[in-house]
Amino acid sequence: MTDTKYTIRGETGDWEVVVGLEVHAQVTSNAKLFSGAATAFGAEPNTQVSLVDAAMPGMLPVPNRECIRQAVRTGMAIDAQINTWSRFDRKNYFYADLPQGYQISQLYHPIVGEGAIDISLDDKNPDAAGKRIGVERIHVEQDAGKLMHDQHPTRSYVDLNRSGVALMEIVSKPDMASPAEAGAYLRKLRSILRYVGSCDGNMEEGSMRADVNVSVRKAGDELGTRTETKNVNSVRFVMAVVEQEAKRQIDVLESGGRIIQETRLYDPDRNETRSMRSKEDAHDYRYFPDPDLLPLELDDAFLEECRASLPELPDTKRRRYEALGITPYAAAVMTAEVEAARWFDALLDTGVAPVAAANWTTSELFGALNRTGRDIENSPVSPDQAAELLGLIADGTLSGTLAKQVFEIMLETGQGAAEIVEERGLKQTSDTGEIERVIAEVMAANEDKVADYRGGKDKLFGFFVGQTMKAMGGKANPGVVNDVLKKMLG
């Protein structure tokens, strides 16, 4: 990690920021945590609600094995302690969108204990500017429903579609000390969840959201009183919350006030947090073991199956790419999103040269996708088509300039590179006789510059290269052009 610390200058000196995140990640599953109801996003209100979710009398919860499996796999992905014995607790509070009058969660005995996530603040050299952020625990719990305030002028309606949806609450330690670190942690966590397949990471749809805990202190002081800003749904907003809430707390403290432990909301339009309610202590919820659910006991066979199902994770994949000679920056770009890494792995499987493939993918392909507003999953160029194009570059059939032309046609038509080269006559020529003939014409048309070059103006060499390539429509092999020009210009 670099030595530069993030501080905020106040009237009384510099302040440090202390940040912890509680991330709620919706578990990828075909059903809810304790019922068989569907969990599809965007369904009509109250169309994905079982009798269990609606808390009808006599209904008993049954744990969804897949939800438990995904939580365990997530814990393993961050090298966390997996607790083979865990228990569900009831968190009692009353709200209109909580039909049971309690939430089933895990307070005292979570399924996953301590782990860690490595973050980087430098894309150019991820290992040199790294920091390890501790994860305190991961527990599974059911989500509440949602109140809808815009359906009636005087009443609020209740949508129970989310009631009972399985969540992993991933609780970090207060190890982050800047907006940048909080953003890097959330991006890395999201990447890991998407690699593992335990959460789709779609923050816009609410399947991943963060509660941001922020406090401030003078260097060397004890931890200050923290506030919790709820349900922040983007990396950018999390970083803004850290910055704005820290500044607000400093203003309060320096004006003689004190920070109260409270829950706050973030208003992105005004870029500010505002008070929601004072923070209740845990005992207000009257936690006790859920009498309807037996403790979870995980056997060795289940744990082995979970571990065996894990994919190659981002850091391991990045180091593998670097071992192939790919730059740390390109490797980091390629592994940041699981879809890009899968696409690139498929390209490598064709046998192309890794470094050339990485350079082309990060510059040409990603540039074209950004320009056209597409993602890698909707790329009009497949890994096999990219391999064909790279092969034509490697064997001298295409120059860099011609390859760009062919690639643009591939993007527009979906045709293969070899087919385009054949149809449109875009093959690079290395015919020495043809190149010599064109160079002779260029020299005859520019006798004054030939004389200047031979008189010592070496920089004119580039002019002759350009004129020759132009005369040959970009199809001449640049290496052959350079060699022949040197010989003919003397």
Side-chain angles (χ1 to χ4, degrees):
M1 175 93 188
T2 54
D3 293 332
T4 305
K5 286 188 175 181
Y6 176 85
T7 57
I8 297 177
R9 173 61 59 87
E11 292 181 1
T12 60
D14 289 343
W15 294 79
E16 295 178 349
V17 182
V18 180
V19 183
L21 296 182
E22 299 170 21
V23 175
H24 293 83
Q26 180 174 329
V27 179
T28 302
S29 171
N30 57 357
K32 295 182 179 179
L33 183 55
F34 298 116
S35 83
T39 60
F41 177 77
E44 287 296 310
N46 296 309
T47 58
Q48 300 187 145
V49 188
S50 74
L51 297 176
V52 173
D53 307 324
M56 292 292 112
M59 295 297 104
L60 293 176
V62 178
N64 181 339
R65 185 180 189 275
E66 179 62 13
C67 295
I68 304 305
R69 176 177 171 273
Q70 293 288 29
V72 170
R73 294 174 71 247
T74 301
M76 289 176 169
I78 61 169
D79 289 328
Q81 170 68 38
I82 307 300
N83 296 322
T84 56
W85 190 96
S86 62
R87 190 184 72 195
F88 289 105
D89 303 297
R90 286 189 182 179
K91 180 182 181 181
N92 295 275
Y93 64 98
F94 296 94
Y95 208 60
D97 61 9
L98 193 70
Q100 294 163 308
Y102 59 84
Q103 177 191 34
I104 302 176
S105 183
Q106 293 185 310
L107 175 66
Y108 299 110
H109 299 282
I111 193 167
V112 176
E114 292 193 4
I117 292 176
D118 293 323
I119 65 170
S120 173
L121 299 177
D122 182 357
D123 288 339
K124 299 292 185 185
N125 194 351
D127 289 323
K131 183 176 182 180
R132 176 157 289 190
I133 307 299
V135 172
E136 191 174 292
R137 57 188 279 150
I138 301 175
H139 62 260
V140 290
E141 63 185 21
Q142 56 179 181
D143 205 355
K146 181 176 72 172
L147 284 177
M148 304 169 71
H149 305 293
D150 57 355
Q151 306 295 305
H152 191 278
T154 60
R155 297 177 182 176
S156 291
Y157 287 5
V158 180
D159 177 10
L160 294 182
N161 277 352
R162 288 198 64 84
S163 180
V165 163
L167 301 177
M168 294 178 288
E169 182 167 344
I170 304 161
V171 183
S172 84
K173 294 185 177 181
D175 289 348
M176 290 160 272
S178 71
E181 289 183 8
Y185 170 83
L186 192 56
R187 278 192 297 269
K188 185 63 171 289
L189 174 59
R190 179 179 179 273
S191 176
I192 291 170
L193 294 176
R194 284 164 54 77
Y195 268 77
V196 170
S198 58
C199 175
D200 64 22
N202 194 327
M203 301 188 77
E204 295 80 10
E205 294 181 0
S207 55
M208 184 174 168
R209 52 193 192 266
D211 298 342
V212 187
N213 293 284
V214 177
S215 66
V216 297
R217 65 180 177 184
K218 291 291 184 67
D221 286 357
E222 296 293 316
L223 289 174
T225 301
R226 64 181 172 87
T227 63
E228 179 183 42
T229 302
K230 299 286 286 186
N231 293 329
V232 185
N233 67 352
S234 80
V235 173
R236 182 166 60 90
F237 289 166
V238 164
M239 295 172 69
V241 165
V242 173
E243 183 175 4
Q244 296 306 318
E245 179 58 15
K247 288 178 178 177
R248 185 194 69 83
Q249 291 184 19
I250 291 168
D251 289 342
V252 169
L253 293 170
E254 291 193 328
S255 62
R258 68 183 186 89
I259 303 302
I260 59 171
Q261 189 171 340
E262 63 178 347
T263 300
R264 299 181 69 84
L265 291 176
Y266 176 63
D267 183 343
D269 295 328
R270 296 186 176 184
N271 191 25
E272 64 183 21
T273 65
R274 63 174 185 269
S275 181
M276 180 180 173
R277 59 176 180 263
S278 61
K279 181 69 175 175
E280 298 139 334
D281 291 328
H283 63 258
D284 290 335
Y285 293 120
R286 303 184 312 284
Y287 281 98
F288 62 86
D290 193 300
D292 292 335
L293 288 160
L294 291 171
L296 290 172
E297 297 188 38
L298 310 179
D299 60 29
D300 290 343
F302 178 77
L303 295 178
E304 278 306 308
E305 186 275 324
C306 289
R307 194 173 299 281
S309 72
L310 287 177
E312 184 181 42
L313 294 167
D315 287 346
T316 304
K317 192 179 291 288
R318 176 173 59 82
R319 285 190 285 269
R320 174 166 66 85
Y321 288 172
E322 289 179 18
L324 296 173
I326 296 169
T327 65
Y329 172 74
V333 169
M334 221 84 67
T335 55
E337 292 290 342
V338 65
E339 293 86 2
R342 287 172 182 158
W343 192 97
F344 188 65
D345 276 340
L347 177 57
L348 290 180
D349 287 344
T350 67
V352 297
V355 174
N359 292 340
W360 181 86
T361 302
T362 54
S363 58
E364 300 300 328
L365 179 64
F366 288 175
L369 294 177
N370 287 337
R371 191 172 69 247
T372 57
R374 293 169 169 152
D375 56 34
I376 192 74
E377 290 180 291
N378 297 307
S379 171
V381 176
S382 70
D384 286 340
Q385 287 176 315
E388 184 179 63
L389 177 62
L390 288 166
L392 293 175
I393 297 170
D395 68 13
T397 300
L398 291 176
S399 65
T401 301
L402 286 174
K404 289 179 185 292
Q405 292 180 38
V406 172
F407 178 52
E408 289 300 323
I409 299 168
M410 291 171 70
L411 289 171
E412 291 172 13
T413 67
Q415 288 178 283
E419 181 184 359
I420 293 168
V421 168
E422 188 65 31
E423 275 187 7
R424 309 203 182 196
L426 293 174
K427 189 173 183 178
Q428 176 176 261
T429 180
S430 297
D431 182 342
T432 307
E434 174 66 10
I435 292 172
E436 285 178 347
R437 183 186 65 77
V438 173
I439 289 175
E441 291 176 358
V442 170
M443 290 174 65
N446 296 276
E447 292 180 353
D448 55 335
K449 289 186 171 58
V450 172
D452 289 343
Y453 175 82
R454 289 171 173 166
K457 292 187 177 180
D458 294 345
K459 291 183 179 179
L460 283 171
F461 188 82
F463 166 80
F464 290 107
V465 172
Q467 290 298 304
T468 304
M469 295 299 290
K470 181 179 178 181
M472 298 192 70
K475 296 178 184 178
N477 184 318
V480 176
V481 169
N482 281 356
D483 291 342
V484 174
L485 266 172
K486 286 175 184 175
K487 181 178 70 175
M488 293 181 67
L489 284 170

